[in-house]
Amino acid sequence: YDSLEAPNSNSVDNLPCIPPPPPPPPQVEISLQSSFQPGMKLEVANKSSPDTFWVATIITTCGQLLLLRFSGYGDDRKADFWCDVMTAELHPVGWCAQNNKTLMPPEAIKEKYSDWTEFLVQDLTGARTAPANLLEGPLRGKNTVDLIVEGSVLELQDASDPFLYWPVRVLQNTGGRLRLRYAGLSEELRAPDAWLFYLDVRLRPLGWALENQLRLEPPTELRTLKSATDWQQALEDARGDGQKNPLPLEVFKDHVDLPEHAFKTGMKLEMVSPWERLQICPVSVTKVSPHIYFQVTQDDLSADAQPRSVVCHAGSPGILPVQWCLKNGVTLERPRGLGGPDFDWADYLKQSGTEAAPDGCFPDTWQSRGFAKDMWLEAVNPHRPAEVCVAQITQVRGRLLWLRLEGVSKPLSEIIVDVESTDIFPVGWCEANSYPLTPPLKAVCQKQKKIAVVQPEKQLAPSQPAETTPANHCLPVAVDTGAPNGRYCCSKIFVNHRCFSGPYLNKGRIADLPQAVGPGKCSLVLKELLSLLINSAYKPGRVLKELQELEDPGWDCQEETLKAKYKGKTYRSTIRIVRLVDQIPDFCRKVCVKLQCCPNLFSPVLVTDKCPENCSVQTKTKYTYYYGKKRKLAKPVGGEDTAEGDLTKPARRRKKRKSIFVQKKRRSSAVDYTPAGSPQDSDEGDEDDDTPLQSGSEGTSSEPREDHTDASSVEATSSRPRRAAALRRVVTARSTADSQEAAAGGRRRSTRSLAASNRNKYQPAEGQDVQEDEGQLVLDRNPLEWSVDEVVQFINSTDCASLANIFQEQDIDGQALLLLTLPTVQECMDLKLGPAIKLCHQIERVKVAFYRQFAN
């Protein structure tokens, strides 16, 4: 939402604190599930033997993708395989027998059983086959929610009489939220249409009422609109329509069975008022139906009382035990006509001669499902059910959420809903389902200033890798109402880790990325994928610049802003991303070509073994020369002896004296600090020295390593041989540790030597009781409990006192202090190598003292 964007700022440190996105409501999660269920049986084409088939079991589902296992493998997962419902040759069990096709087990298990016929009889006994209509025809591959189409007929329970049903027709299906109209009503003669989510317990398949011996009658308030004969004819017409286009029973597979209740007539409880959506009031159980339903009536002691009743069940949202409001600090409305200054449940129960409903009658009243204050949602306006509004959570108490609906005038904008209400949806739900979202009446925070398209040479600071906009930041929402949802949604896009990563991307960071992103909306999936690639670059700012230039006149694009933060500096760029699923393969390929990597590095196609492009034979330097920008290659720098040699071109880069240390994640859980050499450092030095996106402080490497292990052989040519040699020794000391044990030992030796050379530098700060014991720091208070001021006092008492204001500005307390490392200090505090090492020595002293005194 444009009005929800954070104010513009050059640093994310100045942005307001934006809460994380709320968890998706359960009905939304269920609606995205496949119609196929694990355990279903299919007949699948046998790839090893053409024109033969074999029975397979569905192991799990992901959108229209099924993970299958051939019968006979038992619990062995080695032969599991994925297939697409829309493209694979899948049939229900029995199809081969009807069409004279051969059933033959795969070659790998052909000898496992002597009598496969007997095996199939046992395997299929009691099993459930996949429905034929989900494997062929118009419903093929559709999710459960998409099986309900316009014109489908269901039966709807009456709101005031739980034993009364009447057919309704589906006029609209928006992501599972159905617009329903009672059979017999038309545009000219109609009551307001009902809006219900397809999982609502009031909805049943056609014929359910008669099967359960319930009445089929039109709602009481509508009976006078037509004669009994007309209503009967409407019922027959609805039944005929339902039989012509029967609704698959898979639609109701996720409907819950209502539990039996334990309420008795006369019991008192508290309830969110169905009539005043911001009030909780006392109610009484006035009628009990066998097993499932009971009726509650709002307490009203006034002389002109008009009874207001509603039918409930044990799982009804909004029913609460007595004293719930008192325990949660929420106002309980007094019954009308009740005298006395204050309402007290004990006095009220004694006066009325009734009892409170036991706590065991209610669902879990403390289940908040992770919702928190100030989170944003999309919620139905209860006063206009067709309207969905932007909503902010203003309060959370147990299972109840207090919402403020933006775009709705007060006092109707304040409502209370249950955490499992089917009328709340996650941010972006309306956009994903092409449904209009009511915008706020006014901006709820300062509107972000418009940002021009970033020209990296002018706006971006040097050495700035890109970072994506955090997922919890509010983004503009564009509602698209013209095309079917399928065009804008895609399945997984794979990151093929074995493919060549090119000169821009770090192969080690690529290896840490997830294997796939998606499924989901095309623009969101691609934005997340581009964000991951940008963060995997040697110089993300350069990658951001390359992506900014990517466009094609034939693409249907939308612009997305990606934000980068590196060494405390932030910049943004607008990237054009395709919106249609059929344009994704071309987009992915052109991005890969732009980044000079293998065209299959990220693609809708999974590369399992050998890449079709044969990219494994490439190295970064050769690929840059032969397939990139045809730059001349610099010869490798031999070592210290060559620093004063006759290498003319590398001498131009001698001004790059500062090495950048990149903290890499290793599979063995040990942490390495290795200089990040990249082909840009060597191959682009001659061409891009004046480009702001090219880092002026990054170490150089003439032969970048393609693997993602330690790069200890990276060396730098410098005009100061002594300083270069010293830097190499520092780099080597941190990059030759091949295991966690060796790394830990190296840190201990480094700490002891640094502590010995600086044992007299630290004096206790005022307010801190800190001593020196034989050259080692002795703390009388756990540094995890230090406040920001105590950390500042400690830094002031060392030879790094000039840096104390940084700790004050960035609110670094004791816990944050112990997490600081050399790469973190360099990136977050923008320090040169010398001051950073000096500061890290003091931090290391505190860490050693912490481990010695408090860690155990």
Side-chain angles (χ1 to χ4, degrees):
Y1 317 107
D2 291 335
S3 57
L4 305 184
E5 293 188 69
N8 183 23
S9 172
N10 292 326
S11 173
V12 295
D13 297 333
N14 298 324
L15 291 176
C17 180
I18 300 177
Q27 81 273 6
V28 176
E29 292 181 327
I30 295 173
S31 68
L32 297 176
Q33 294 177 1
S34 170
S35 302
F36 296 93
Q37 300 179 47
M40 283 183 172
K41 302 287 186 179
L42 303 165
E43 290 180 358
V44 186
N46 199 337
K47 293 182 179 179
S48 60
S49 301
D51 298 326
T52 65
F53 297 80
W54 190 242
V55 177
T57 305
I58 298 176
I59 304 301
T60 189
T61 65
C62 181
Q64 64 187 37
L65 301 178
L66 305 179
L67 180 63
L68 303 179
R69 181 183 304 166
F70 280 123
S71 295
Y73 277 96
D75 295 330
D76 188 356
R77 299 183 299 174
K78 66 182 180 183
D80 291 2
F81 60 97
W82 288 94
C83 68
D84 191 329
V85 178
M86 303 302 294
T87 59
E89 192 171 358
L90 306 175
H91 303 283
V93 173
W95 180 87
C96 287
Q98 296 173 2
N99 293 272
N100 296 322
K101 298 293 183 179
T102 304
L103 279 175
M104 179 180 296
E107 289 292 334
I109 58 172
K110 197 170 184 179
E111 306 299 329
K112 189 173 182 179
Y113 296 96
S114 58
D115 189 348
W116 281 103
T117 303
E118 179 63 25
F119 169 80
L120 282 182
V121 170
Q122 295 179 1
D123 188 55
L124 296 177
T125 300
R128 182 184 177 192
T129 181
N133 58 352
L134 299 182
L135 298 172
E136 56 192 19
L139 301 181
R140 180 177 183 178
K142 287 191 174 182
N143 287 345
T144 305
V145 68
D146 297 322
L147 299 178
I148 307 174
V149 296
E150 182 178 343
S152 297
V153 181
L154 303 93
E155 291 181 356
L156 177 61
Q157 184 187 53
D158 190 84
S160 57
D161 188 345
F163 305 106
L164 186 65
Y165 284 79
W166 190 251
V168 289
R169 283 188 176 87
V170 177
L171 302 183
Q172 185 178 350
N173 179 5
T174 305
R177 192 163 185 261
L178 308 179
R179 180 186 175 193
L180 306 170
R181 181 173 297 169
Y182 283 105
L185 300 183
S186 60
E187 289 290 344
E188 297 77 17
L189 182 65
R190 66 182 181 93
D193 295 334
W195 285 86
L196 293 174
F197 204 74
Y198 82 102
L199 294 175
D200 196 293
V201 295
R202 293 176 58 200
L203 287 175
R204 298 292 180 180
L206 189 65
W208 191 88
L210 291 180
E211 291 177 5
N212 291 270
Q213 299 179 356
L214 300 174
R215 290 178 293 151
L216 268 174
E217 297 178 8
T220 306
E221 63 274 13
L222 303 180
R223 291 177 187 173
T224 57
L225 297 179
K226 304 181 78 170
S227 65
T229 304
D230 292 338
W231 282 119
Q232 186 62 33
Q233 183 60 44
L235 177 61
E236 297 299 328
D237 293 343
R239 287 175 174 172
D241 294 342
Q243 292 173 356
K244 291 178 183 177
N245 301 297
L247 197 62
L249 293 180
E250 283 71 27
V251 170
F252 301 92
K253 66 182 177 64
D254 296 310
H255 273 228
V256 297
D257 294 328
L258 296 178
E260 295 187 7
H261 68 80
F263 290 93
K264 298 179 181 179
T265 304
M267 284 183 173
K268 299 284 188 181
L269 57 149
E270 298 175 359
M271 183 179 185
V272 178
S273 174
W275 308 281
E276 303 292 339
R277 299 298 296 268
L278 195 60
Q279 294 182 0
I280 302 178
C281 55
V283 296
S284 303
V285 178
T286 53
K287 186 177 180 181
V288 175
S289 300
H291 308 302
I292 305 297
Y293 300 101
F294 59 95
Q295 177 181 280
V296 297
T297 303
Q298 184 175 356
D299 287 3
D300 189 344
L301 306 180
S302 60
D304 57 343
Q306 297 290 331
R308 306 172 83 177
S309 302
V310 64
V311 175
C312 300
H313 51 82
S316 290
I319 59 172
L320 307 164
V322 165
Q323 302 287 7
W324 186 92
C325 287
L326 180 64
K327 294 175 182 177
N328 287 273
V330 178
T331 301
L332 178 67
E333 295 296 320
R334 295 165 51 88
R336 287 185 58 203
L338 180 66
D342 299 314
F343 177 77
D344 180 78
W345 265 113
D347 295 340
Y348 184 58
L349 293 174
K350 184 177 180 180
Q351 178 182 345
S352 60
T354 55
E355 62 174 336
D359 291 349
C361 294
F362 301 89
D364 183 7
T365 56
W366 305 102
Q367 180 75 24
S368 66
R369 289 186 55 86
F371 289 96
K373 182 181 178 182
D374 293 332
M375 287 181 174
W376 292 92
L377 297 166
E378 295 176 1
V380 175
N381 181 357
H383 310 288
R384 297 179 60 189
E387 182 180 43
V388 181
C389 306
V390 178
Q392 185 180 26
I393 300 176
T394 59
Q395 187 178 186
V396 179
R397 291 292 185 272
R399 292 179 58 94
L400 300 186
L401 308 176
W402 274 250
L403 301 182
R404 182 178 66 247
L405 302 179
E406 303 294 337
V408 179
S409 59
K410 292 186 176 181
L412 302 180
S413 61
E414 304 286 339
I415 62 172
I416 301 175
V417 299
D418 188 85
V419 294
E420 295 188 356
S421 170
T422 56
D423 287 337
I424 58 175
F425 305 94
V427 170
W429 183 86
C430 281
E431 181 190 13
N433 291 281
S434 302
Y435 193 79
L437 178 69
T438 300
L441 291 175
K442 60 181 180 180
V444 295
C445 65
Q446 180 181 352
K447 189 171 182 178
Q448 183 174 2
K449 298 178 181 178
K450 291 185 177 180
I451 304 171
V453 174
V454 172
Q455 298 299 327
E457 293 80 3
K458 299 179 182 179
Q459 299 187 20
L460 304 185
S463 308
Q464 302 289 309
E467 179 180 284
T468 62
T469 303
N472 55 357
H473 283 200
C474 297
L475 298 174
V477 172
V479 179
D480 193 340
T481 59
N485 301 341
R487 297 183 61 199
Y488 296 92
C489 296
C490 65
S491 55
K492 290 184 178 181
I493 300 180
F494 297 95
V495 180
N496 296 307
H497 301 96
R498 297 183 181 181
C499 288
F500 179 64
S501 56
Y504 294 117
L505 303 178
N506 185 315
K507 189 172 182 65
R509 296 174 186 165
I510 290 290
D512 288 333
L513 297 182
Q515 188 180 32
V517 179
K521 187 181 175 187
C522 296
S523 59
L524 297 180
V525 172
L526 289 174
K527 181 180 178 182
E528 175 66 17
L529 186 62
L530 293 180
S531 302
L532 294 174
L533 292 178
I534 290 172
N535 286 329
S536 301
Y538 292 108
K539 295 181 179 178
R542 181 59 185 269
V543 172
L544 195 63
K545 176 188 174 184
E546 295 288 339
L547 294 178
Q548 180 184 334
E549 299 170 355
L550 186 68
E551 63 178 322
D552 189 302
W555 287 347
D556 180 4
C557 295
Q558 72 181 52
E559 293 186 346
E560 294 286 354
T561 300
L562 300 184
K563 185 173 61 176
K565 181 182 179 185
Y566 186 53
K567 290 189 177 180
K569 297 180 181 178
T570 305
Y571 55 93
R572 298 178 179 86
S573 182
T574 301
I575 309 297
R576 286 168 287 277
I577 298 177
V578 299
R579 304 169 62 229
L580 302 180
V581 64
D582 54 356
Q583 296 176 350
I584 285 182
D586 183 50
F587 178 82
C588 292
R589 189 173 186 88
K590 288 188 177 179
V591 169
C592 291
V593 171
K594 190 72 174 176
L595 299 182
Q596 302 178 37
C597 59
C598 174
N600 294 320
L601 179 62
F602 73 99
S603 164
V605 179
L606 176 63
V607 176
T608 54
D609 296 321
K610 187 176 181 181
C611 175
E613 301 288 335
N614 197 25
C615 64
S616 59
V617 301
Q618 304 297 342
T619 65
K620 290 182 183 292
T621 306
K622 291 180 180 178
Y623 194 92
T624 302
Y625 179 73
Y626 291 110
Y627 303 99
K629 298 184 179 180
K630 302 287 185 182
R631 302 188 185 93
K632 294 182 179 179
L633 303 180
K635 295 182 179 180
V637 180
E640 294 183 35
D641 296 336
T642 65
E644 298 178 358
D646 57 353
L647 296 176
T648 56
K649 286 197 174 182
R652 186 176 179 184
R653 298 191 299 277
R654 290 173 185 166
K655 60 184 178 181
K656 301 182 181 181
R657 297 192 299 266
K658 186 164 60 173
S659 295
I660 180 168
F661 291 86
V662 178
Q663 182 173 357
K664 295 186 176 182
K665 297 179 181 178
R666 298 188 61 182
R667 306 268 182 193
S668 61
S669 77
V671 178
D672 253 349
Y673 302 116
T674 61
S678 78
Q680 288 96 322
D681 302 329
S682 59
D683 299 328
E684 297 176 14
D686 297 333
E687 179 178 321
D688 296 326
D689 274 342
D690 57 342
T691 303
L693 283 173
Q694 285 297 104
S695 171
S697 63
E698 199 158 315
T700 62
S701 169
S702 58
E703 191 68 24
R705 300 173 65 94
E706 186 170 339
D707 60 336
H708 58 277
T709 55
D710 299 346
S712 59
S713 61
V714 177
E715 297 176 350
T717 305
S718 171
S719 61
R720 299 183 182 181
R722 293 182 181 179
R723 177 174 178 83
L727 288 180
R728 280 194 294 275
R729 286 194 294 272
V730 172
V731 171
T732 304
R734 283 159 174 78
S735 61
T736 57
D738 294 327
S739 66
Q740 188 172 9
E741 181 70 24
R747 288 195 294 271
R748 288 195 294 271
R749 289 192 296 274
S750 175
T751 302
R752 285 197 295 271
S753 62
L754 290 173
S757 64
N758 293 275
R759 62 180 61 179
N760 296 321
K761 290 183 180 180
Y762 176 76
Q763 297 297 329
E766 182 178 354
Q768 282 185 310
D769 192 358
V770 185
Q771 314 171 38
E772 296 282 350
D773 182 12
E774 298 181 355
Q776 293 181 334
L777 190 63
V778 179
L779 305 176
D780 282 356
R781 185 165 179 225
N782 191 335
L784 287 176
E785 301 173 358
W786 285 5
S787 64
V788 176
D789 292 334
E790 288 175 304
V791 171
V792 172
Q793 289 175 4
F794 171 77
I795 299 299
N796 275 325
S797 65
T798 67
D799 53 355
C800 300
S802 60
L803 307 176
N805 62 323
I806 299 179
F807 289 77
Q808 186 75 49
E809 293 171 358
Q810 299 193 15
D811 291 334
I812 298 177
D813 58 10
Q815 295 185 30
L817 180 72
L818 294 181
L819 293 174
L820 292 179
T821 61
L822 181 59
T824 309
V825 167
Q826 282 189 291
E827 291 179 10
C828 298
M829 299 185 180
D830 201 18
L831 297 179
K832 295 182 179 179
L833 182 62
I837 293 178
K838 197 173 181 181
L839 177 60
C840 285
H841 159 60
Q842 300 297 343
I843 297 173
E844 193 77 8
R845 299 176 68 208
V846 178
K847 292 181 181 179
V848 172
F850 166 77
Y851 286 122
R852 190 178 64 252
Q853 297 178 235
F854 302 100
N856 295 327

